[in-house]
C-alpha cells in the first residue's frame, strides 16, 4: 500500500522549505516601483544582506538564479584572456569555471576530487609559484551541493594572503549563506556570490553579489562590462529602477524581507548556524549507523569536511533512483538525486527553515524506505534522536 498523503516533504538541497510567512508576504498587489515603500524596503534588504555576509562592502540584487550571479561576478572583474584558478571539490566550482571559459577566460584547476576538500596549502603554493601574477582570481565554493563538501574558506583566504599574491578571492556561498559561519571581510573575500532559495528561504528567482573594495578596483579597471550585469549601475545609480536594470522583482523583495526578519531578528544568525550544526550532526550520526550495516557510505571521507547544509550518501550498487522513487511514492518524501558523480547515491538537504520534527521525519522515513526495499542497514534513528536531545539538554 501507499501511505503518501498530505503535504509532500521536500528534503532536497534547494529550493529549501519556505516559511509560510515568506510565502504569505508575496500575496499582495504590486507596489509603485518608482518611489515609496518598496524603495525603503530595499534599503533595509541591502543592510541586512550585508549583515548576513558579514561585510561592509556593497550588495547587488539580480533577477537571476545562482548561475546568473556567477556570471555577474566574472563579468565585473575579468577580461577575456585573463586566467582564474578554480578550486574544484565536487561540481559547482568547475561549472563556474566553465562559464568563465565561455567568456574567454582561461581556467587552471586544482581538483580535490569528489570526496574531499580543497587543500589551502596547495592553493598557497600555486600562488607563490605564479610570480608573474598571471592568475587574476581564485574561485571556490564554500559548500558544494553535489559532493556536500565543506571547504575551509577562512584557511584558503589566509593561504592566499600569506602568499602575497594579488588575485581576487571569489566565493560561491549559494548553498551555505545563512546556514553556516561565514565572514566575508574577516576572511579576506573580495566577491561573495549567493542566491535566495537555499539558506535564505526565499522562492528561487533572485541572487546576490557582495563586493569588496579590491573587487571594485578590478571592475573600474575593465574596458567594458556588459551593461545589464554591471555592478556600477546596480550599486551606484540613484535611480531605483536602474538598480535592478529594469523592473524590480517586487514580490521576491517582500519575501526576502520576511525571510531576513526570521533569520536575523527572530532566530538570530548565530543561532541559525548552531541549529544547522545540530541538525546536520543528527543526519551524520544516523547515516553513519546506516552505513555500518550495509552498502551505504558517506561521500565525504573526512568528518570535518562534511557540511552542515547537505549530506551526500553513496549507495554502492543499490539503485538510488528506485530508493528515491519508493520514498516519494510510498511515503511522500522527496530526497535529492545525486549529481556530478560516477556512482549512484542520494542527497539529504538540511538547510534553511528546518526543525527537529521535519528532519527526524525525513531520516525515519528514509530508513523506512531502506527497510521496505530490503537494503541492509543498522537503524540510525536512535543516534539522531540522541544528538537532538543532547543539544537541547
Ligand atoms: C544551487 C547552487 C548553485 C546554482 O544555483 P542556481 O540558483 O541553481 O543557478 C551554484 N552553486 C552552489 C554551491 C549551489 O548550491
Amino acid at each position: 500500500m501507499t501511505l503518501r498523503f498530505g503535504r509532500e516533504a521536500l528534503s532536497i538541497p534547494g529550493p529549501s522549505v519556505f516559511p509560510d510567512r515568506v510565502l504569505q508576504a508575496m500575496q499582495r498587489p504590486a507596489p509603485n516601483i518608482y518611489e515609496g515603500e518598496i524603495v525603503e524596503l530595499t534599503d533595509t534588504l541591502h543592510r541586512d544582506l550585508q549583515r548576513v555576509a558579514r561585510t561592509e562592502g556593497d550588495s547587488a540584487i539580480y533577477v537571476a538564479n545562482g548561475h546568473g550571479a556567477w556570471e555577474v561576478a566574472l563579468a565585473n572583474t575579468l577580461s577575456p584572456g585573463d586566467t582564474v584558478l578554480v578550486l574544484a571539490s565536487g561540481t559547482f566550482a568547475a561549472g563556474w569555471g566553465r562559464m568563465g571559459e565561455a567568456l574567454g577566460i582561461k581556467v587552471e584547476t586544482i581538483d580535490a576530487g569528489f570526496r574531499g576538500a580543497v587543500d589551502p596549502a596547495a592553493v598557497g603554493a600555486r600562488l607563490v609559484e605564479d610570480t608573474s601574477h598571471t592568475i587574476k582570481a581564485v574561485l571556490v565554493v564554500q559548500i558544494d551541493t553535489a559532493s556536500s563538501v565543506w571547504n575551509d574558506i577562512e584557511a584558503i583566504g589566509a593561504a592566499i594572503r600569506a602568499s602575497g599574491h594579488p588575485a581576487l578571492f571569489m566565493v560561491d556561498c549559494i548553498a551555505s549563506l545563512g546556514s553556516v559561519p561565514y565572514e566575508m571581510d574577516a576572511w579576506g573575500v573580495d566577491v561573495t556570490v549567493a542566491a535566495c532559495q537555499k539558506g535564505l528561504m526565499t522562492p528561487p528567482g533572485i541572487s546576490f553579489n557582495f563586493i569588496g573594495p579590491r573587487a571594485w578596483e578590478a571592475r573600474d579597471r575593465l574596458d567594458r562590462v556588459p551593461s545589464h550585469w554591471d555592478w556600477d549601475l546596480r550599486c551606484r545609480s540613484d535611480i531605483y529602477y536602474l538598480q535592478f536594470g529594469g523592473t524590480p522583482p517586487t514580490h521576491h523583495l517582500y519575501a526576502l524581507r520576511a525571510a531576513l526578519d526570521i533569520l536575523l531578528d527572530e532566530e538570530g544568525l548565530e543561532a541559525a548556524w548552531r541549529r544547522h550544526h545540530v541538525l546536520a550532526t543528527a543526519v551524520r550520526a544516523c547515516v553513519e549507523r546506516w552505513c555500518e550495516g550495509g552498502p551505504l557510505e558517506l561521500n565525504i571521507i573526512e568528518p570535518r569536511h562534511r557540511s552542515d547544509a547537505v549530506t551526500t550518501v553513496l549507495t554502492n550498487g543499490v539503485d538510488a533512483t528506485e530508493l528515491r522513487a519508493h520514498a516519494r511514492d510510498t511515503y511522500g518524501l522527496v530526497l535529492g538525486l545525486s549529481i556530478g558523480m560516477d556512482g549512484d547515491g542520494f542527497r539529504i538537504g538540511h538547510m534553511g527553515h528546518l526543525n527537529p520534527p521535519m528532519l527526524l521525519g525525513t531520516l525515519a522515513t528514509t530508513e523506512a524506505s531502506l527497510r521496505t526495499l530490503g537494503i541492509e542497514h543498522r537503524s540510525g534513528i536512535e543516534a539522531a534522536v540522541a544528538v537532538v536531545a543532547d543539544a537541547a539538554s
Side-chain angles (χ1 to χ4, degrees):
M1 71 178 284
T2 178
L3 294 165
R4 185 183 195 173
F5 179 76
R7 180 178 295 191
E8 196 164 71
L10 189 67
S11 294
I12 65 173
S16 60
V17 171
F18 307 131
D20 290 343
R21 194 135 46 86
V22 169
L23 297 172
Q24 284 153 9
M26 302 179 91
Q27 302 293 321
R28 48 173 298 170
N32 179 3
I33 57 165
Y34 299 102
E35 59 190 1
E37 185 226 338
I38 193 77
V39 179
E40 284 151 31
L41 178 136
T42 305
D43 284 341
T44 70
L45 291 179
H46 284 295
R47 270 203 303 280
D48 286 344
L49 285 167
Q50 290 155 17
R51 281 170 67 197
V52 176
R54 306 276 201 153
T55 184
E56 308 262 291
D58 290 298
S59 47
I61 303 175
Y62 288 85
V63 182
N65 57 21
H67 283 76
W70 273 353
E71 189 156 279
V72 171
L74 300 172
N76 277 278
T77 50
L78 300 158
S79 298
D82 284 349
T83 297
V84 296
L85 182 62
V86 168
L87 311 179
S89 56
T91 294
F92 286 94
W96 196 4
R98 279 194 301 280
M99 181 176 266
E101 284 174 335
L103 295 171
I105 294 162
K106 293 184 198 139
V107 172
E108 183 182 321
T109 302
I110 296 180
D111 194 348
F114 202 81
R115 303 194 63 189
V118 171
D119 174 12
V123 180
R126 178 63 193 102
L127 292 177
V128 165
E129 248 171 50
D130 181 36
T131 48
S132 57
H133 298 167
T134 311
I135 294 166
K136 300 298 178 211
V138 176
L139 273 48
V140 69
V141 173
Q142 187 179 26
I143 292 178
D144 185 282
T145 325
S147 68
S148 73
V149 79
W150 189 352
N151 284 311
D152 187 341
I153 301 303
E154 182 177 16
I156 297 168
I160 293 173
R161 279 202 302 280
S163 75
H165 193 291
L168 293 176
F169 187 26
M170 315 222 285
V171 182
D172 169 346
C173 294
I174 295 172
S176 53
L177 196 69
S179 302
V180 306
Y182 184 70
E183 303 281 352
M184 174 165 168
D185 291 356
W187 295 352
V189 179
D190 298 299
V191 180
T192 300
V193 175
C196 67
Q197 76 272 21
K198 296 180 185 175
L200 299 181
M201 305 178 287
T202 299
I206 57 176
S207 54
F208 316 105
N209 270 195
F210 298 89
I211 308 150
R214 297 176 68 240
W216 272 117
E217 285 165 22
R219 149 73 189 73
D220 291 337
R221 276 196 303 269
L222 292 183
D223 295 332
R224 181 171 337 113
V225 179
S227 65
H228 187 69
W229 288 146
D230 195 347
W231 286 340
D232 190 66
L233 205 65
R234 305 291 172 141
C235 299
R236 293 172 178 162
S237 174
D238 292 333
I239 299 169
Y240 181 70
Y241 184 82
L242 296 182
Q243 291 169 17
F244 291 93
T247 304
T250 49
H251 288 63
H252 277 83
L253 301 178
Y254 291 127
L256 182 63
R257 183 63 270 161
L260 292 175
D261 285 344
I262 294 170
L263 180 62
L264 291 171
D265 299 338
E266 278 170 35
E267 183 173 24
L269 185 59
E270 290 169 16
W273 296 345
R274 286 193 293 273
R275 171 174 52 84
H276 278 84
H277 184 64
V278 170
L279 296 179
T281 304
V283 172
R284 292 187 285 262
C286 181
V287 178
E288 274 168 3
R289 290 288 177 87
W290 292 345
C291 297
E292 283 169 25
L296 303 187
E297 194 183 353
L298 281 160
N299 179 52
I300 298 303
I301 293 164
E302 275 224 36
R304 71 194 166 100
H305 291 134
R306 294 173 182 158
S307 90
D308 281 354
V310 53
T311 296
T312 303
V313 183
L314 306 177
T315 51
N316 292 319
V318 168
D319 184 348
T321 305
E322 189 190 351
L323 173 64
R324 285 187 302 101
H326 182 81
R328 184 193 61 220
D329 297 341
T330 310
Y331 300 118
L333 170 67
V334 179
L335 294 167
L337 51 79
S338 64
I339 53 173
M341 59 197 220
D342 293 336
D344 214 354
F346 64 93
R347 294 176 299 157
I348 300 170
H350 36 89
M351 78 244 312
H353 191 62
L354 190 69
N355 62 22
M358 292 159 78
L359 184 79
L360 293 172
T362 291
L363 295 174
T365 308
T366 305
E367 187 169 310
S369 300
L370 297 175
R371 196 163 160 149
T372 41
L373 289 175
I375 299 167
E376 279 186 64
H377 64 283
R378 262 183 75 188
S379 175
I381 300 310
E382 193 180 336
V385 168
V387 169
V388 170
D390 289 352
S393 55

